[in-house]
């Protein structure tokens, strides 16, 4: 144990599988606010992540820009690509990074803690001492080329992103509920027109303000020792720099705006072909520190959004004439949190003709089932009578139509639905908790999944810096979601009154924002015309000397993008960690000849391979077929084949196989006399698959193959 650090707190994450919990230990630097969080998770993977709270008060995209600049080299290692070379040399993936609304996270994934320790000093030098120079700024952020076109990686990314429907509705929603003094009211990635005015000096100043060891949290997740000596040895070598870090950031986010718009706000997004938009509703959520209420709301939202028989789906999507194609519903991790519901694929164009066609088409139903009429009040779960078609079409896009539909559904849900469907609701919560806990081992180490440990620990670090409720706390609380599954099970035992009160408090009593995002086929044309006009104006006003200087600058900038690492520097790298010491999971594999089965049509794939990874709770297997010998005439049919593998279709299989598959199943099999083969219809196949597997999927390519678990 290093003399410069002290164990500050201990907690754990439930594994979800019934095995031992994943211990979490937090080590604090004795003279600063720099912390090292170690979460031990069994397996071969070692995650190394650095989380920095980053906020912004404009649309220039300084957090996003700085993230890109980190990869261009550092003061000690001024070579583009060196950081990736070091990562690969140490059995790891290239360094990755993500910019969020209130934090930036740099992530390395490797196969040993020795390799992570070798990568750490290089990564920290890139983060703390990046080369922020004109040449890198020009290529990574913004420049105008010799033809007057605006270029740059960041600009190109955001030019494509900023006008998408999701981006338009997210930014406008946030600007209507958060004040200008909140980071959430701004686009952290930057908007094109603002990126153009960003200067290199602003990026340097932003780095000085936020990129400090006092603001940084080092997170280690995976096959690490309780107190990884190699990691702390690296940090001890940087102790003078760590101890000299400027004071830590403390910038509590302001509360949401006191007044929200009462009427619907409409916003346009660029779309040449789409005839659908979205309706979005938002409510203020609980404080970031209120874990119990947040988890309860997440469980409730999950039911309303996911369950096929939920009143939300019956009212909007699961009806003869849907008034929405999809539902996006979640509790977003702002400070404070926000509950956001979006109905997507709302038919802003040609809805009436669609409704008339659906009304004229007879609804297919099972033999003996009662005739289905156009949605009755019971079907739509609310007091509003939708039994007449014209009542549903007329005024569909009135400013308060969707609001009334939603409020009536939520009211009916709280006052009637929960009581009448209580057993089903409780059963759903129980099954979902079991499913999420069983799959936690798969997402625990995920870099992107918000249910993963890395994301949760990063949020704990940010909440300590930015949440008013944690501003006075002496230390952050890491592992706030450590007992998620126990909490979900406890909440699942609450009575009906608890859930009714939850709906009433957070949805019916809270103020509600309503916005619509509407497709505009002319917007994209207008944006492109403005770009062309700006390009022409630029070329008309630039003189030959300026053009020559610009070309020289671009040539130098492009030269700087080349990977040119000195051989002696690569030769000086420490030895690659011994792969034999990596904790690989147990697995077995065997080949089979798929083309020699006399009972089936000859397979075009020939040899195949099965890989099995056993587990105490859930095992996995992968079936792969080589494509090298596949006839070129069959390649166009591969997407269809992959679709068939994952779709409920009938199968023709040998009797012996069918007997094995269905011997423990309640599904009746069809066995025509005198046949060596057996046909199973789609319902039988689906039933057998659901009993044997928890998930199955198929891909074309080398990375995934057919991966199933059960």
């Amino acid at each position: 144990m290093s003399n410069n650090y002290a164990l500050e707190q201990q907690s754990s994450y439930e594994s979800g599988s019934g095995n031992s919990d994943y211990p979490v230990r937090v080590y604090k630097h004795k003279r600063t606010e720099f912390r090292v969080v170690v979460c031990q998770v069994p397996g071969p993977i070692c995650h190394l992540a650095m989380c920095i709270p980053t906020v912004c008060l404009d649309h220039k995209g300084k957090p996003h820009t700085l993230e890109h600049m980190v990869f261009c080299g550092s003061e000690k290692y001024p070579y583009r690509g060196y950081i990736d070379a070091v990562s690969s040399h140490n059995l790891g993936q290239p360094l990755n990074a993500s910019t969020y609304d209130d934090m930036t996270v740099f992530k390395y994934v490797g196969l040993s803690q020795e390799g992570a320790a070798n990568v750490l000093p290089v990564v920290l030098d890139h983060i703390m001492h990046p080369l922020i120079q004109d040449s890198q700024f020009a290529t990574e952020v913004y420049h105008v080329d010799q033809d007057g076109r605006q270029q740059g990686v960041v600009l190109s990314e955001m030019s494509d992103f900023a006008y998408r429907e999701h981006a338009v509705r997210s930014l406008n929603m946030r600007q209507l509920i958060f004040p200008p003094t909140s980071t959430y009211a701004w686009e952290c990635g930057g908007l094109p027109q603002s990126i153009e005015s960003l200067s290199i000096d602003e990026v340097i100043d932003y780095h000085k303000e936020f990129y400090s060891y006092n603001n940084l949290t080092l997170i280690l997740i995976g096959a690490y020792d309780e107190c990884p000596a190699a990691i702390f040895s690296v940090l001890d070598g940087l102790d003078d720099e760590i101890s000299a870090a400027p004071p830590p950031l403390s910038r509590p986010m302001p509360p949401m705006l006191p007044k929200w718009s009462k009427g619907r706000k409409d916003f346009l997004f660029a779309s040449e072909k789409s005839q659908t938009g979205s309706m979005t509703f938002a409510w203020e959520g609980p404080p970031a520190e209120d874990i119990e209420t947040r988890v309860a709301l997440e469980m409730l939202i999950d039911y309303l959004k996911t369950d096929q028989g939920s009143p939300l789906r019956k009212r909007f999507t699961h009806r003869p004439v849907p008034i929405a194609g999809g539902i996006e519903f979640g509790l977003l991790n702002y400070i404070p949190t926000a509950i956001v519901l979006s109905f997507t694929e709302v038919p802003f164009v040609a809805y009436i003709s669609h409704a008339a066609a659906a009304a004229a088409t007879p609804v297919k139903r099972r033999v003996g089932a009662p005739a289905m009429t156009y949605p009755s009040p019971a079907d739509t779960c609310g007091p509003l009578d939708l039994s007449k078609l014209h009542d549903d079409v007329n005024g569909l896009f009135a400013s308060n139509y969707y609001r009334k539909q939603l409020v009536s559904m939520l009211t009916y849900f709280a006052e009637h639905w929960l009581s009448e469907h209580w057993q089903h609701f409780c059963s759903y919560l129980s099954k979902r908790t079991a499913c999420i806990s069983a799959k936690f081992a798969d997402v625990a180490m995920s870099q992107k999944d918000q249910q993963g440990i890395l994301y949760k620990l990063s949020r704990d670090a940010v909440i300590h810096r930015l949440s008013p409720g944690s501003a006075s706390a002496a230390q952050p609380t890491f592992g706030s979601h450590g007992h998620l599954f126990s909490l979900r099970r406890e909440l699942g035992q609450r009575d009906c009154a608890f859930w009714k009160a939850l709906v009433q408090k957070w949805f019916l009593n809270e103020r509600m924002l309503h916005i619509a995002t509407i497709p505009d086929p002319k917007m994209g044309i207008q944006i492109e015309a403005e770009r062309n006009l700006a390009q022409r104006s630029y070329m008309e006003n630039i003189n030959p000397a300026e053009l020559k200087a610009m070309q020289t600058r671009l040539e130098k900038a492009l030269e700087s993008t080349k990977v040119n690492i000195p051989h002696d520097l690569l030769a000086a790298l420490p030895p690659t960690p011994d792969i034999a010491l990596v904790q690989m999971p147990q697995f077995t594999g065997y080949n089979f000849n798929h083309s020699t089965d006399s009972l089936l049509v000859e397979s075009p794939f020939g040899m195949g391979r099965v890989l099995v990874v056993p587990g105490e709770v859930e095992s996995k297997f992968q079936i792969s077929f080589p494509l090298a010998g596949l006839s070129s005439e069959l390649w166009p049919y591969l997407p269809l084949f992959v679709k068939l593998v994952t779709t409920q279709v009938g199968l023709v299989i040998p009797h012996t196989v069918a007997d094995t598959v269905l011997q423990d199943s309640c599904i009746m099999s069809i066995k025509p006399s005198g046949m060596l083969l057996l046909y199973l219809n789609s319902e039988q196949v689906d039933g057998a698959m659901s009993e044997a597997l928890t998930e199955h999927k198929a891909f074309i390519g080398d990375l995934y193959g057919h991966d199933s678990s059960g």
Side-chain angles (χ1 to χ4, degrees):
M1 177 65 185
S2 169
N3 292 327
N4 295 313
Y5 296 83
L7 180 63
E8 184 179 53
Q9 57 180 281
Q10 297 185 70
S11 59
S12 63
Y13 269 89
E14 292 176 333
S15 65
S17 61
N19 296 329
S20 301
D21 292 351
Y22 305 144
V24 177
R25 294 176 177 84
V26 182
Y27 300 93
K28 180 183 177 298
H29 189 263
K30 293 181 178 179
R31 293 178 295 282
T32 68
E33 290 296 308
F34 174 60
R35 289 175 172 85
V36 181
V37 182
V38 182
C39 179
Q40 294 176 282
V41 178
I45 305 299
C46 287
H47 281 257
L48 177 74
M50 287 123 290
C51 172
I52 305 171
T54 48
V55 302
C56 57
L57 297 177
D58 55 43
H59 293 313
K60 294 185 177 182
K62 285 176 277 192
H64 185 198
T65 294
L66 192 50
E67 175 215 312
H68 276 254
M69 300 298 287
V70 163
F71 292 86
C72 294
S74 68
E75 293 181 2
K76 189 174 181 179
Y77 309 101
Y79 309 104
R80 183 186 288 264
Y82 179 72
I83 193 170
D84 292 338
V86 174
S87 299
S88 300
H89 182 78
N90 285 280
L91 305 179
Q93 299 176 359
L95 185 71
N96 198 0
S98 299
T99 301
Y100 300 86
D101 292 309
D102 53 13
M103 67 178 181
T104 302
V105 181
F106 296 89
K107 296 159 286 190
Y108 161 82
V109 183
L111 290 177
S112 74
Q113 58 181 334
E114 179 188 352
N118 292 338
V119 171
L120 180 59
V122 180
V123 174
L124 287 177
D125 196 69
H126 278 70
I127 292 174
M128 292 302 175
H129 308 286
L131 285 181
I132 307 178
Q133 299 176 346
D134 180 70
S135 56
Q136 286 87 358
F137 184 85
T139 56
E140 289 296 319
V141 186
Y142 176 77
H143 70 269
V144 180
D145 66 15
Q146 62 270 20
D147 297 319
R149 292 189 296 260
Q150 297 174 327
Q151 303 282 10
V153 178
V154 172
L155 180 72
S156 297
E157 286 182 3
M158 298 313 298
S159 294
D160 178 57
F161 172 81
Y163 302 105
R164 294 180 185 176
E165 179 189 359
H166 178 271
V168 169
R169 75 170 184 249
S170 174
L171 178 58
N172 284 286
M173 181 271 293
R174 288 184 278 120
Q175 289 188 319
L176 288 171
I177 65 177
F178 288 105
T181 52
S182 171
T183 185
Y184 307 110
W186 305 94
E187 178 51 65
C188 66
L191 295 181
Q193 59 270 28
S194 298
I195 294 173
E196 297 169 14
S197 64
L198 179 64
S199 70
I200 191 171
D201 290 335
E202 289 179 284
V203 179
I204 293 173
D205 291 340
Y206 190 87
H207 182 271
K208 291 179 180 178
E209 182 177 5
F210 290 96
Y211 279 52
S212 158
Y213 279 104
N214 263 317
N215 297 330
L216 185 146
T217 302
L218 177 62
I219 302 174
L220 312 174
I221 306 175
Y224 287 96
D225 295 334
E226 178 180 314
C227 181
I231 296 292
F232 282 103
S233 176
V234 171
L235 296 176
D236 285 342
L238 300 169
D239 193 65
D240 290 342
E241 181 181 347
I242 295 173
S243 300
L249 171 75
S250 179
R251 189 174 295 181
M253 289 293 102
M256 292 184 177
L257 290 170
K259 294 182 179 180
W260 291 6
S261 174
K262 294 184 178 180
R264 191 183 87 185
K265 293 289 186 180
D266 294 352
F267 300 95
L268 302 177
F269 68 93
S271 176
E272 295 181 6
K273 298 180 180 179
S274 176
Q275 296 181 338
T276 63
S278 60
M279 293 285 184
T280 298
F281 298 87
W283 301 262
E284 182 171 355
E289 295 84 358
D290 188 354
I291 304 301
E292 179 177 305
T293 303
R294 287 173 56 186
V295 173
L297 283 170
E298 288 170 355
M299 294 170 68
L300 178 65
I301 289 170
D302 178 62
Y303 170 75
L304 289 171
K305 175 183 67 174
T306 307
D307 187 71
Q308 299 301 305
S310 79
L312 184 66
R313 285 200 166 275
K314 284 191 173 184
R315 174 64 68 93
F316 290 92
T317 62
H318 287 29
R319 49 188 291 168
V321 184
I323 57 176
I327 297 175
E328 297 177 5
F329 201 179
L331 182 69
L332 303 188
N333 290 307
Y334 303 137
I335 300 175
T337 62
I339 305 168
V340 179
L341 165 63
S342 291
F343 297 105
T344 60
E345 300 177 48
V346 171
F348 281 93
V349 180
Y351 180 83
I352 294 179
S353 61
H354 170 56
T361 302
V363 179
K364 295 181 180 180
R365 59 184 187 275
R366 299 187 306 276
V367 176
M372 182 177 180
T373 61
Y374 190 74
S376 67
D379 291 330
T380 53
C381 314
L384 187 64
D385 186 1
L386 301 180
S387 59
K388 296 181 179 180
L389 179 61
H390 67 81
D391 289 340
D392 213 24
V393 176
N394 291 341
L396 179 65
F397 297 111
S399 61
N400 62 349
Y401 176 84
Y402 278 80
R403 180 192 291 262
K404 284 184 176 180
Q405 292 283 310
L406 180 59
V407 171
S408 69
M409 185 283 298
L410 290 170
T411 302
Y412 189 84
F413 177 69
E415 295 179 356
H416 303 284
W417 181 273
L418 275 171
S419 300
E420 296 170 1
H421 300 80
W422 178 241
Q423 294 301 322
H424 172 74
F425 179 74
C426 292
S427 175
Y428 178 86
L429 297 185
S430 176
K431 290 179 180 179
R432 284 294 288 168
T433 296
C435 179
I436 292 172
S437 61
K439 292 181 178 297
F440 182 67
D442 292 333
V443 303
M445 297 287 284
S446 172
Q447 299 182 65
K448 297 181 179 180
D449 198 300
Q450 294 196 4
Q451 299 303 320
I453 296 177
L454 173 56
Y455 182 82
K456 295 296 187 185
L457 291 175
S458 299
R459 294 306 307 167
D460 290 337
V462 171
I463 288 171
H464 178 61
R465 298 293 185 197
L466 303 183
S467 175
S470 298
S472 59
Q475 62 187 43
T477 302
F478 287 101
S480 61
H481 283 76
H483 300 285
L484 173 65
F485 309 120
S486 296
L487 178 57
R488 287 183 63 102
R489 286 189 286 270
E490 191 274 324
L491 288 170
Q493 300 300 314
R494 300 287 178 91
D495 59 17
C496 187
F498 169 80
W499 297 100
K500 288 183 177 181
L502 197 72
V503 176
Q504 191 71 38
K505 174 178 174 59
W506 295 102
F507 293 98
L508 296 175
N509 293 347
E510 274 286 343
R511 53 189 174 168
M512 179 171 63
L513 178 74
H514 180 195
I515 67 172
T517 44
I518 303 170
D520 182 0
K522 298 180 181 179
M523 179 179 287
I525 299 173
Q526 181 181 352
I527 293 170
E528 186 62 27
E530 291 175 353
R531 289 175 180 168
N532 293 336
L533 182 62
Q535 177 183 353
R536 187 173 65 182
S537 175
Y538 182 87
M539 295 305 295
E540 289 175 351
N541 290 283
I542 191 171
N543 60 54
E546 291 174 329
L547 183 61
K548 178 64 176 177
M550 181 181 64
Q551 291 175 336
T552 302
R553 175 179 180 244
L554 289 181
E555 290 172 0
K556 181 180 178 181
L558 292 174
E559 184 66 24
S560 71
T561 63
K562 297 179 180 179
V563 176
N564 188 20
I565 307 171
H567 292 290
D568 57 343
L569 189 61
L570 293 174
L573 290 173
T576 299
D578 187 355
I579 189 67
L581 300 178
V582 175
Q583 304 175 23
M584 297 297 294
Q586 295 182 348
F587 65 90
T588 57
Y590 60 90
N591 298 326
F592 64 93
N593 193 337
H594 198 229
S595 63
T596 58
D597 192 336
S598 59
L599 295 177
L600 299 174
V601 177
E602 183 177 348
S603 167
F605 294 108
M607 295 297 295
R609 181 166 179 79
V610 177
L611 178 68
V612 181
V613 182
E616 295 182 9
V617 177
E618 184 178 76
S619 298
K620 298 182 180 181
F621 68 88
Q622 182 184 77
I623 304 174
S624 58
F625 300 104
L627 302 180
L630 189 67
S631 169
S632 59
E633 297 178 353
L634 296 178
W635 275 83
Y637 296 95
L638 278 175
L640 177 61
F641 172 73
V642 170
K643 187 68 175 178
L644 288 173
V645 171
T646 55
T647 305
Q648 300 176 21
V649 295
L651 291 178
V652 177
I653 58 178
H655 266 302
T656 54
V657 176
D659 291 338
T660 302
V661 171
L662 300 177
Q663 62 183 349
D664 296 324
S665 174
C666 60
I667 302 174
M668 295 181 60
S669 60
I670 305 171
K671 297 183 178 181
S673 60
M675 291 185 65
L676 294 175
L677 302 178
L678 172 67
Y679 173 74
L680 303 180
N681 62 36
S682 60
E683 184 178 353
Q684 293 173 311
V685 173
D686 184 52
M689 295 282 279
S690 64
E691 289 188 14
L693 306 174
T694 58
E695 180 184 12
H696 71 286
K697 52 191 175 183
F699 297 91
I700 300 174
D702 298 331
L703 182 59
Y704 296 105
H706 181 192
D707 189 5
S708 298
S709 55

